Amino acid sequence: MRNIIAIFLALGLCFGISAFGETRLFPQATPNPDTSNPELQQEQTPQNSLPNAIIESDIESQNVELQSSDSIQYANKSLVKNVYLETLTPLLDILYVHQVVALEVKMLIFSGYTTIETEFLFEDNALKNSVEVLNPKQNWVINTEDSSLKNTFYLKINQVQFAIPTIKVSVNTKEGTVSETLTGHTGRAIKLDRKGSYAQVVAESLEILDTKITNYDANHNLAVLQLKSKMGNLFDFHLSAYAKQGIESKSGNYKEATAFYYAIVPKEQNTISFDYFNTQVEKYQTLQVQNIAIEDRVSTQSDIKPKNNYQFFKISLMVFFALLFFGLYLYKRKIIFIMFLVIALAFLLYFVTLKTSVILKSNVALRIQPTFNSTIVLTTHTEQKAEILGKRNNYYKVILEDEHIGWVVKNDIKD
């Protein structure tokens, strides 16, 4: 019985081996694949590779991909925005022709930088002159509170149809030049068409700080007004009623400015009156002064029909001292008083013989003030007699026979 069972087991084992192929219970050396057959090599390669194995060719391709990814990341990093620009004070809804407005701008720079360049770009050439940037080269100022940079640009509206320019700021950073822009826009301004005494000034405020009215000739006065404005086009001050007028000098900035305005005004005009447009209350306001010649306060002019009283005072003073020292000598009988008397008489002789009447050369310019840039109020065409009223540096203050007063250069006096 045991022999029969052993025979059946042997037959079953042989049948299993033939059914399942050449399965070996113990591994043997695997023959090398035939490399001469590419198709066989391609079929066998995946079978001989582990599931998570990294092939050398795959490593090289992955390195190329990583390098490309790093280049893209570096390129993106260099293009990261590190300059920000914003407007702090938007423009008013209602603007007027000739009005001066302030545009305050803030900039943040998140990188080291060396230089900043600001440009103002007009997209429409037809509107290029509609707005004037009064301080285009204004420097940027660092705000210590947040390390930002601020700038205030002053714009003057010149036309009804105007265009605010685009502001382009180019910053030279360590990554390169980075530019940021604030887009401009167009708008319409109101044109003030007031006639008569309108001074062509649009401002938040305008005031007369001081006045000086002097005699110009027999029929006219010379009026000098010291004006101060806030956010106004003060330097455009002009009155249509006067033929001779202008701005003598100016100072300050566009936010607050002062100027000396002069005009030749007829004597029969009782007051000098003018209007300006106040943007705070949005209406015209009137300023006026009396057209009466008064004592010199603002400019370097003299009173009505001035005389050389200063020289008369000096002569009188020397006569007084001469009499005083002569009386002291008679009373004290001391030689020192004789010496003082001689000195006083010497000064008296000098002042008496001092030349006050002079002849001006032809084509001599009479100026309002003793400066080269001062306004010329009159130019002589022939030689004229004049009387010296005063002296300052290289200028003489003279009065002509027709009572015109002005300052002339020393070399304009004939020897």
Side-chain angles (χ1 to χ4, degrees), residues 47-70:
Q47 296 178 359
N48 296 333
S49 302
L50 297 177
N52 297 326
I54 301 178
I55 304 174
E56 184 177 358
S57 60
D58 293 338
I59 294 175
E60 294 178 356
S61 62
Q62 290 179 11
N63 288 337
V64 172
E65 293 178 358
L66 289 174
Q67 292 176 0
S68 300
S69 176
D70 292 341

Side-chain angles (χ1 to χ4, degrees), residues 254-290:
Y254 301 102
K255 184 177 181 180
E256 290 188 358
T258 58
F260 285 89
Y261 167 81
Y262 77 92
I264 306 301
V265 183
K267 285 182 178 293
E268 64 268 16
Q269 183 176 329
N270 295 326
T271 60
I272 302 172
S273 177
F274 56 88
D275 301 333
Y276 81 99
F277 187 82
N278 189 308
T279 57
Q280 296 292 93
V281 297
E282 296 184 350
K283 65 179 182 181
Y284 294 95
Q285 292 188 336
T286 302
L287 300 176
Q288 64 180 12
V289 295
Q290 295 294 319

Side-chain angles (χ1 to χ4, degrees), residues 308-315 318 345-358 386-391 396-397 410 413:
N308 202 344
N309 296 324
Y310 183 56
Q311 185 179 6
F312 177 77
F313 171 76
K314 291 187 292 184
I315 293 175
M318 291 301 102
L345 290 175
F347 276 104
L348 178 60
L349 180 62
Y350 171 76
F351 292 139
V352 168
T353 59
L354 183 64
K355 188 178 181 180
T356 59
S357 296
V358 294
E387 182 182 353
I388 296 177
L389 301 176
K391 181 181 178 182
Y396 283 101
K397 186 177 185 180
K410 181 179 180 180
I413 296 177

